[in-house]
Amino acid sequence: MMFASGIWVLAALFVCAASTKEAGNSYEMKVWRTNDRSLQEPLALVYTEIENLYHQQSLMKENMKKAMMHCTQTQAYKENGANVTSLQAGSGPVLYPFAQDEDSEAEARFDPCYHYTVLDQAWRATNFSTKNVACDKRVNWRGWYRLFYRGRSIQMPELCIKKERCGTHAPLWLAGGHPSLCDGIVTRRVCGHWNNNCCAFKSPPIKVKACKGNYYVYQFVQPKACHLAYCADVNTLVCGWCRKNEICSSRDKINWFCKKTKSRAKAKVHFFASYPGRLSGKVNRIQYKKVYVNVGRAFNRRTGVFTAPVAGVYQFFFSTQSGTNGAKTDLWLVVNGYWVAVSHTRISSSNSVGNLSTYMTTLRKGALVYITHNCGNSWANAASNTITFGGSLLLERR
Ligand SMILES: *[C@@H]1O[C@H](CO)[C@@H](O)[C@H](O)[C@H]1NC(C)=O
Ligand SMILES: *[C@@H]1O[C@H](CO)[C@@H](O)[C@H](O)[C@H]1NC(C)=O
Ligand SMILES: *[C@@H]1O[C@H](CO)[C@@H](O)[C@H](O)[C@H]1NC(C)=O
């Protein structure tokens, strides 16, 4: 797609340059003859440029894929294909997330978020004490676990738990807090409270991962001593009710609540600018001096360059009004150095004609967009707004 338009763009470029000499030419693509020596050099340039385009495109694709894998991949989960076993049978209803995206199924195959053992043992709760203390050293831990409390998703505590809770003597809590979705698998210290020392037992660190759907999986390992046991914090039961666009949060690590994720706040980007005068011939970058709208301040009035402040889908428009001498006039939209769309005018009589072009594309953060006046004459005065450039962010991508 981009490959093909690249050829067109560059071929059109040469036609534009050629026809300024021969005013009678129609706006058509020329057929290259390889035995035409004068064309060999520019042709080589064209091919190099096309290769660059192609390279840049595959890079962009790769980056997008990477970003999706880390943070924005939709949940993939098939109940039938799940490798979920339960330590405690008949422990009540357990809800699993369901598949939304077939493609990510393969990626999910080795993801602990979908391959864990359900650990639903009410005695692990932070509000539970008993004389029959448990010892996790005696458990043959294997792989990943997800904590439940009577069928409801629950998390490990992130702060010191009183002695003789969690059905054991020295309750094990997660030091350093839980990771976020983008962190992937992290290693966290585990502490056991005893003798007024919150970390009297420095238990071997465990791996933890945050999963879509507001739950965590833990790769539990054997503590070094008895009696220690991994805790389930009853205060985090509320986290199981958080919605898709929410995360579970707590300032004091005691009271937990669901809150909307920050990224919901959409970036607003809109600009509209105009050049209040005449342009003729080659003007590398039109410096649209009159800026009417610049929400998000992504358009630079001094340079005429728009810099994408966030990754997302953008729409641009730009216009011209041809001069009256009948010459061909071409304005090009330039995205990251590539000429992607033209606003072309041509009329044989001594009339003037306008042209407005639009373009929509996905940009990464920091992408540069401007307009180049490649040839011909464009007309505007201080009030006509005939040479304009504007755009909007339609959809933000994370
Ligand atoms: C579940 O996982 C275990 C250990 O990773 C593996 O041995 C077993 O074959 C898996 N079962 C299914 C049904 O995939
Ligand atoms: C512990 O907390 C849970 C959830 O709030 C509650 O249902 C349960 O009755 C409590 N157990 C004890 C022993 O207080
Ligand atoms: C406007 O631009 C388009 C695309 O380059 C071109 O096909 C069309 O002829 C132009 N209109 C005028 C009036 O020049």
Side-chain angles (χ1 to χ4, degrees), residues 171-185:
L172 291 176
W173 59 280
L174 194 68
H178 285 86
S180 72
L181 275 177
C182 291
D183 294 336
I185 296 171

Side-chain angles (χ1 to χ4, degrees), residues 81-83 115 142:
N83 193 351
H115 297 84
R142 282 189 69 180

Side-chain angles (χ1 to χ4, degrees), residues 56-354:
Q56 157 143 344
Q57 203 196 10
S58 49
L59 271 182
M60 267 168 81
K61 262 193 195 152
E62 213 160 89
N63 286 341
M64 226 153 137
K65 213 169 136 196
K66 271 189 207 155
M68 302 245 296
M69 267 167 71
H70 284 141
C71 300
T72 62
Q73 190 60 279
T74 46
Q75 274 175 18
Y77 194 91
K78 280 264 159 59
E79 200 183 27
N80 298 336
N83 193 351
V84 174
T85 49
S86 182
L87 269 192
Q88 193 169 302
S91 56
V94 176
L95 297 173
Y96 303 114
F98 285 90
Q100 289 171 352
D101 186 352
E102 296 272 334
D103 292 341
S104 48
E105 203 186 343
E107 264 157 36
R109 198 166 294 155
F110 302 106
D111 188 340
C113 284
Y114 311 110
H115 297 84
Y116 54 76
T117 300
V118 171
L119 199 57
D120 192 336
Q121 294 166 321
W123 58 261
R124 290 189 182 273
T126 44
N127 65 353
F128 186 87
S129 334
T130 177
K131 288 212 174 85
N132 306 322
V133 288
C135 178
D136 276 351
K137 187 174 182 252
R138 299 195 182 121
V139 179
N140 184 20
W141 300 102
R142 282 189 69 180
W144 292 79
Y145 295 83
R146 177 174 171 190
L147 290 169
F148 284 87
Y149 178 83
R150 299 192 193 286
R152 284 173 65 189
S153 194
I154 194 169
Q155 305 172 191
M156 275 186 82
E158 292 187 7
L159 86 178
C160 194
I161 300 300
K162 279 186 190 157
K163 288 182 285 186
E164 311 290 352
R165 293 288 174 91
C166 307
T168 190
H169 283 317
L172 291 176
W173 59 280
L174 194 68
H178 285 86
S180 72
L181 275 177
C182 291
D183 294 336
I185 296 171
V186 301
T187 302
R188 287 285 187 267
R189 288 181 301 121
V190 173
C191 283
H193 179 197
W194 197 247
N195 276 347
N196 293 326
N197 181 350
C198 279
C199 207
F201 290 98
K202 289 179 179 60
S203 203
I206 58 167
K207 288 192 169 139
V208 187
K209 189 183 182 204
C211 301
K212 291 250 178 174
N214 282 297
Y215 67 92
Y216 297 91
V217 286
Y218 308 91
Q219 198 178 41
F220 290 138
V221 296
Q222 282 171 346
K224 290 259 152 51
C226 278
H227 290 85
L228 289 80
Y230 292 107
C231 282
D233 186 352
V234 287
N235 290 326
T236 67
L237 280 170
V238 60
C239 300
W241 301 113
C242 294
R243 276 182 283 214
K244 239 176 143 191
N245 58 343
E246 293 176 326
I247 55 161
C248 204
S249 177
S250 172
R251 272 180 280 273
D252 54 12
K253 306 297 181 192
I254 298 167
N255 298 297
W256 291 79
F257 54 91
C258 301
K259 73 168 190 190
K260 285 208 167 132
T261 47
K262 251 192 242 145
S263 44
R264 279 240 115 193
K266 260 206 266 165
K268 288 188 175 64
V269 183
H270 306 281
F271 76 100
F272 177 58
S274 135
Y275 187 86
R278 292 165 194 219
L279 294 167
S280 88
K282 181 91 186 139
V283 179
N284 268 334
R285 219 178 277 144
I286 302 178
Q287 283 155 29
Y288 295 89
K289 290 176 204 147
K290 282 186 90 164
V291 178
Y292 292 96
V293 174
N294 198 4
V295 177
R297 305 198 153 271
F299 182 73
N300 187 324
R301 160 197 322 255
R302 207 174 39 78
T303 60
V305 177
F306 172 83
T307 308
V310 294
V313 177
Y314 289 83
Q315 183 167 34
F316 298 98
F317 57 90
F318 58 108
S319 68
T320 184
Q321 175 89 24
S322 71
T324 54
N325 65 353
K328 175 199 306 297
T329 301
D330 279 356
L331 272 71
W332 282 88
L333 179 74
V334 185
V335 177
N336 283 328
Y338 294 103
W339 300 32
V340 295
V342 66
S343 197
H344 163 79
T345 56
R346 163 131 212 187
I347 196 160
S348 44
S349 70
S350 61
N351 272 325
S352 165
V353 65

